[in-house]
Amino acid sequence: MNIWIVNHYANSPDAPGDARHFSHARELIRRGHKVRIVACSFHYLTHRESLPESAGWWEERVHQGVPFTWIRTGGHEGGSFRRILAMFEFSLRVAGRGWAVGLEPPDLVMGSTPHPFAALVAERISAHYKVPFVLEVRDAWPYVLTEVGGHSKFHPFVQLVDRTMRFLYRRAAAIVMFSKHSTALLARYGADPKKIVWIPHGVDLGLSPKPRPAPDDGVFTVSYIGAHNQWNSLDAVLDAAKLLQGWGVQDVLVRFVGDGVCKKALVDRARTEDIRNVRFDDAVPKMRIGDVLHESDAFIINNRRDGVSRDWMSFSKLYEYLAAGRPVIFGSCTENDPVRESGAGISVAADDPLALAESIRFMAGLSPRELAAYGELGRAYIESNYSISVLVDRFETMIGEVTGQKLPADCLKGVAARA
């Protein structure tokens, strides 16, 4: 089967950020499918353009056997207006289909919604080729605009997004969502629950090797590795580090690895408030994330205490933490709690610096054997439930249903796709 995936922010493994579609595509190709990813060549974390000027406005590259078509835009820097402009620019250039000349027509097109306009173009491409369209809902638009951004539901852009998403929900043969508990939320905005398929974030175990011991350097390092943005409420983690420092807890380091719109404010705050038990490091490419994970003794992640976190959030980084074989401290307000389900760490209330700090102090006092026991539970949980091979089983079941094509028997061995 020939599958095209349109995702403005898809990544190759040599860049920082989420590489879900690369990992899914590589596994699908291994199983005999053809997959192409159409993405923007300007990287939203590094703020760098990957295409040379000589390439024109698009270029095809193959990354570890996975074909990408990179579409050039003018970049995303310059505030909300420039980001919105880049959304339309990317979508219009994909819609032109100049990049598709000479390619074998797809059997299925999937559009992903870091923003809905790229998914709209994917739907239009599927209509052109008369093949099924699958909608992947990464961000629950327009819910995120009103709940997180604070915009009025009557704002013209919010209205445009709402109408676009409702159209996509109607047109989709299937709707992929990441969070097990979000069916009611999507239904509120027009999605048919019967179309919804739960295929969560997972871990490419090929990029996440077997756990190895943490460095024996006398410092207990608890790390946050991921985007520094408003979703992750990292001020609460910084507050926890400040509490530990005030308590006189020695030889504990809270490490922040990544980039994002909130990073500068966090760095400035740590400097201004003289919080010395923290370190800020740059984002790393996906193929190097395993090395960075194994430099830590434990991991920390925190939800915002709001409706988005409760009803929608699914943390890709959380699964990577568990796969690394380290205990995890999770500030959570969602029912979707793999840390609690696996027994691989401590779950506390979201946005509670005191609880986070007490959990770090507790973990720092455990023996290497006790820490390893937590880690073993996490790794086993990921291998059984959230490995890419398990998730692609679900994806193949779904595409077999929506296309009506009979897939090979070994493609249909997976877990039931319906939530």
Side-chain angles (χ1 to χ4, degrees), residues 225-383:
I225 304 172
H228 294 40
N229 57 32
Q230 67 269 35
W231 295 98
N232 299 301
S233 197
L234 294 179
D235 272 306
V237 179
L238 195 56
D239 287 337
K242 187 175 181 178
L243 284 171
L244 291 167
Q245 181 174 290
W247 296 340
V249 176
Q250 302 294 315
D251 299 325
V252 170
L253 175 69
V254 180
R255 184 185 183 197
F256 298 83
V257 182
D259 205 345
V261 295
C262 296
K263 182 169 184 175
K264 183 180 184 303
L266 291 164
V267 172
D268 290 346
R269 188 187 152 206
R271 184 183 302 113
T272 300
E273 299 179 21
D274 195 28
I275 306 174
R276 299 182 302 279
N277 58 350
V278 300
R279 192 174 92 201
F280 293 90
D281 293 329
D282 293 335
V284 297
K286 192 71 173 180
M287 63 178 58
R288 284 193 50 230
I289 198 70
D291 293 333
V292 177
L293 289 166
H294 288 133
E295 292 170 0
S296 302
D297 296 279
F299 301 107
I300 191 165
I301 189 169
N302 181 52
N303 270 146
R304 292 163 51 112
R305 192 180 297 175
D306 62 12
V308 174
S309 297
R310 183 184 64 252
D311 298 332
W312 179 248
M313 293 300 289
S314 174
F315 289 95
S316 60
K317 61 185 75 66
L318 178 55
Y319 302 113
E320 292 174 348
Y321 295 171
L322 294 169
R326 301 287 193 270
V328 178
I329 298 164
F330 185 23
S332 169
C333 72
T334 175
E335 295 180 44
N336 184 22
D337 188 346
V339 174
R340 183 179 293 113
E341 291 174 11
S342 64
I346 301 173
S347 291
V348 299
D351 267 348
D352 187 337
L354 178 60
L356 293 172
E358 289 175 338
S359 299
I360 294 171
R361 182 166 61 178
F362 171 79
M363 285 289 184
L366 297 179
S367 69
R369 183 173 181 177
E370 290 170 317
L371 293 170
Y374 278 116
E376 289 168 3
L377 289 172
R379 179 73 183 199
Y381 179 78
I382 292 299
E383 290 178 349

Side-chain angles (χ1 to χ4, degrees), residues 191-247:
D192 181 352
K194 294 179 182 178
K195 294 182 179 180
I196 294 175
V197 181
W198 177 51
I199 306 179
H201 284 296
V203 178
D204 187 337
L205 296 178
L207 299 176
S208 180
K210 286 285 187 181
R212 56 180 183 264
D216 184 14
D217 56 6
V219 177
F220 186 83
T221 300
V222 56
S223 298
Y224 170 83
I225 304 172
H228 294 40
N229 57 32
Q230 67 269 35
W231 295 98
N232 299 301
S233 197
L234 294 179
D235 272 306
V237 179
L238 195 56
D239 287 337
K242 187 175 181 178
L243 284 171
L244 291 167
Q245 181 174 290
W247 296 340

Side-chain angles (χ1 to χ4, degrees), residues 142-151 188 304 306-310:
Y143 183 62
V144 295
L145 297 177
T146 56
E147 182 75 13
V148 178
H151 299 288
R188 190 194 316 169
R304 292 163 51 112
D306 62 12
V308 174
S309 297
R310 183 184 64 252

Side-chain angles (χ1 to χ4, degrees), residues 36-41 57-61 67-71 90 99-100 103:
R36 173 171 300 275
I37 299 172
V38 184
C40 181
S41 60
W57 63 267
W58 68 274
E59 183 176 271
E60 179 177 325
R61 295 178 183 172
F68 278 73
T69 296
W70 295 108
I71 306 293
F90 172 82
W99 55 271
L103 296 179

